[in-house]
Amino acid sequence: KRANAQRDAVAMAVWAARRDPVYGVHWLPATPKRIEFVGHVARKFDSDGLQAALKSIRDGMQDCRMIHSDGLNSGHEFVYSQVTGKPYGVTITVSLRAG
């Protein structure tokens, strides 16, 4: 249930950002992107724990068609970091990947 809620929340946030008339994003899903996830957490995860905790968030990026795939050959770069403290959640930054 939590994973589905997280995926839905990401999809809704991305769709809202894409519709913004000033800052709207209109990249095709296959356009190579750099996607940074910053987890705002109570206690630090180890590196593979953080990626596992954010898996449904990353999957939500596919659900809303911001990316076409999250596989190794997708052309997208995924970067993870974390900070401790409230408010808890995830900050996602998407930029075009340098050629």
Side-chain angles (χ1 to χ4, degrees):
K1 286 184 178 182
R2 183 185 68 206
N4 285 338
Q6 289 174 337
R7 287 174 80 146
D8 290 346
V10 169
M12 290 172 54
V14 170
W15 284 327
R18 291 180 85 148
R19 286 192 305 267
D20 185 293
V22 176
Y23 300 106
V25 177
H26 304 287
W27 301 322
L28 295 174
T31 302
K33 298 170 193 71
R34 182 175 200 268
I35 302 173
E36 299 176 60
F37 300 97
V38 179
H40 301 268
V41 299
R43 291 180 306 279
K44 293 248 180 173
F45 288 88
D46 60 13
S47 62
D48 61 341
L50 179 64
Q51 288 190 20
L54 299 180
K55 180 180 181 340
S56 58
I57 304 296
R58 182 168 161 168
D59 290 343
M61 300 296 286
Q62 255 185 274
D63 294 346
C64 66
R65 303 209 19 89
M66 176 58 74
I67 59 174
H68 68 296
S69 170
D70 64 353
L72 292 174
N73 296 326
S74 68
H76 305 302
E77 174 185 14
F78 300 95
V79 179
Y80 296 86
S81 63
Q82 56 190 316
V83 295
T84 56
K86 293 182 180 180
Y88 303 131
V90 180
T91 301
I92 304 168
T93 304
V94 180
S95 56
L96 291 178
R97 190 166 177 198

